[in-house]
Amino acid sequence: MNNQQKKTFPLLTILSFIAFIALGMPDGLLGVAWPSLRQQFKLPLDALGTLLLSTVLGYLLSSFSNGYLMKRLGVGKLLAASTTLTGLSLLGYTLSPSWPVFVALGFCAGLGAGGIDASLNNWVEAHLSHRVMQWLHASFGIGITTGPLIMTAGLAGTGSWRPGYWIVAGAQLLLGLFFFTQARRWDQAPKAAHYEAEMTDGMELRPFRHTLRYGPAWLSALLFFIYSGIELGMGHWAYTWLTAELALSSSFAGIWTAGYWATFTIGRILGGFATQKIRPASILKISLVTVMGVTLFLAAIPFTVLKIMGILLLGFVIAPIFPSLISTTSRRVGREHAGNTIGMQMAMAGLGVGVLPGFMGILGRYAGLHTIPWMLVLWAILLFLLNSWFERRTRR
């Protein structure tokens, strides 16, 4: 690594973390803004699912085409374009005259988010360490923790959800401009030692069409679908559940929703340190068992104070799962399918965000909001069982 590369690497690493902070902010805004949006556009509770589905369709499109776009544009320009598109979409939310326009802008926001997410996951996997991968996703936690606080402050100060989106949109647009000025640096960075070893040990990497026909790759992607339903299901519905079901004030609900993402961020940071002594597969197993216990506690315990503690604890114990699942991809599907499968997993994670929280809204509307934590219990059990199947398969 020459002197110029030594200077470039810290800058790109910091930019990666900042980009993931920005990626998390819109998700943090939405959960707190949703009651106000419902009131303004006169929407039923489960209409959130329409917006989430539109967003995830855009996310899926950009995730699946990420490899092609990276080859055509380069990582830096793709990140600049994706971040700018996200910022413009969020700004468009505040100008939207109707709910259908808002939903259409959600598709554009999803396009931008998918480009940022897939590009940076691939770049960090190829250029940096597994510990940095945990911390990259911890940065997402910082963003999604900050989002509810920004929206809560905006609602308290102005009575409107729009200022929160103005602030985050402005930050995204500034970041997009900075990405553009640094675009060439991303493609000049050297590969990480572990990545070079995997690419030069004689392993034949499979074409994407072969991976699409490989069953374990789809089951591995299903892990991400289920996981995202738990993480964002709690994140999107915590505020509504706390205010409508547990009768907390809007300010307290906003603080505890941010608290969920704060403990989530702490869990991701500590997960990065844990990878120095504990294998990702072991971290994953411990987290999955703990998440089952915490979701059951959250659903069954009758006391509001303990339910709030359960929300905070859930954020902490669920945090290491996503990066650990990425780090164990080759263990589940083989190194020859791992690169292709990561793209499929990111797409299915986005689909889970769009489908499962939306389903929670439908069930909450017709059966009551008390069903939300029980849905988390079900998905935690499914996630544990599917990962256990992979564990048994790899031991054969």
Side-chain angles (χ1 to χ4, degrees):
M1 187 183 294
N2 59 39
N3 290 333
Q4 180 62 33
Q5 290 171 334
K6 288 179 180 179
K7 294 178 182 179
T8 295
F9 240 57
L11 173 63
L12 298 184
T13 303
I14 292 169
L15 277 177
S16 298
F17 290 163
I18 293 173
F20 255 60
I21 291 172
L23 183 66
M25 281 183 176
D27 287 331
L29 293 176
L30 181 58
V32 179
W34 179 238
S36 299
L37 287 169
R38 278 187 63 204
Q39 183 178 14
Q40 176 175 333
F41 292 111
K42 298 179 174 57
L43 302 168
L45 180 69
D46 56 335
L48 178 63
T50 306
L51 175 62
L52 294 177
L53 183 59
S54 175
T55 303
V56 80
L57 288 175
Y59 182 97
L60 287 170
L61 179 59
S62 59
S63 295
F64 267 108
S65 57
N66 183 256
Y68 171 79
L69 292 173
M70 285 177 64
K71 289 179 181 178
R72 291 294 302 269
L73 299 176
V75 177
K77 289 182 180 178
L78 180 56
L79 285 170
S82 298
T83 310
T84 301
L85 179 60
T86 303
L88 291 174
S89 301
L90 297 180
L91 185 61
Y93 283 170
T94 67
L95 304 173
S96 178
S98 65
W99 181 241
V101 174
F102 201 104
V103 171
L105 287 167
F107 177 83
C108 298
L111 282 174
I116 298 168
D117 204 354
S119 297
L120 283 177
N121 271 286
N122 274 302
W123 190 86
V124 170
E125 174 66 17
H127 295 85
L128 300 172
S129 67
H130 296 308
R131 180 173 57 180
V132 175
M133 179 67 81
Q134 285 275 355
W135 290 342
L136 177 73
H137 289 272
S139 300
F140 177 85
I142 294 172
I144 209 166
T145 301
T146 307
L149 296 176
I150 292 173
M151 184 56 69
T152 300
L155 288 169
T158 68
S160 172
W161 54 270
R162 288 182 174 83
Y165 278 104
W166 289 337
I167 293 170
V168 176
Q172 295 267 6
L173 291 172
L174 285 175
L175 183 59
L177 178 61
F178 198 70
F179 272 139
F180 183 76
T181 64
Q182 304 296 316
R184 299 176 67 178
R185 295 176 181 262
W186 295 86
D187 299 309
Q188 297 170 352
K191 300 291 193 297
H194 72 87
Y195 184 86
E196 291 284 13
E198 290 180 0
M199 296 302 291
T200 58
D201 67 355
M203 179 66 68
E204 180 183 355
L205 303 182
R206 300 297 178 89
F208 188 59
R209 64 181 183 276
H210 291 180
T211 303
L212 287 174
R213 295 196 295 267
Y214 186 53
W218 286 103
L219 291 175
S220 184
L222 183 60
L223 286 167
F224 285 75
F225 177 85
I226 299 170
Y227 167 81
S228 294
I230 302 174
E231 179 194 313
L232 272 300
M234 187 77 266
H236 283 320
W237 289 111
Y239 183 86
T240 300
W241 185 56
L242 289 169
T243 53
E245 182 70 12
L246 303 184
L248 266 66
S249 68
S250 58
S251 296
F252 274 112
I255 291 170
W256 293 123
T257 300
Y260 168 75
W261 293 116
T263 57
F264 174 89
T265 304
I266 293 169
R268 285 271 168 92
I269 293 171
L270 294 180
F273 289 110
T275 57
Q276 294 179 288
K277 295 185 177 181
I278 307 174
R279 295 183 303 114
S282 298
I283 293 174
L284 178 60
K285 188 173 183 178
I286 293 168
S287 296
L288 291 174
V289 171
T290 311
V291 166
M292 284 194 297
V294 173
T295 53
L296 184 60
F297 173 86
L298 187 63
I301 203 75
F303 306 109
T304 298
V305 173
L306 293 180
K307 285 184 180 293
I308 292 172
M309 292 178 60
I311 291 174
L312 301 181
L313 185 57
L314 179 61
F316 180 79
V317 299
I318 201 174
I321 293 178
F322 193 99
S324 297
L325 283 172
I326 292 178
S327 296
T328 54
T329 299
S330 59
R331 175 184 172 93
R332 290 190 299 273
V333 302
R335 201 179 308 154
E336 68 273 25
H337 290 287
N340 294 330
T341 303
I342 286 175
M344 295 169 61
Q345 289 172 166
M346 298 306 298
M348 287 294 282
L351 186 61
V353 170
V355 172
L356 295 183
F359 178 74
M360 291 172 73
I362 294 172
L363 194 63
R365 178 185 180 186
Y366 292 104
L369 291 173
H370 66 277
T371 60
I372 286 176
W374 288 108
M375 284 291 96
L376 301 180
V377 173
L378 174 61
W379 294 332
I381 292 172
L382 291 175
L383 193 62
F384 173 80
L385 292 175
L386 183 53
N387 186 69
S388 297
W389 178 84
F390 273 111
E391 286 291 325
R392 291 193 299 272
R393 181 175 178 270
T394 56
R395 285 197 296 265
R396 291 174 189 170

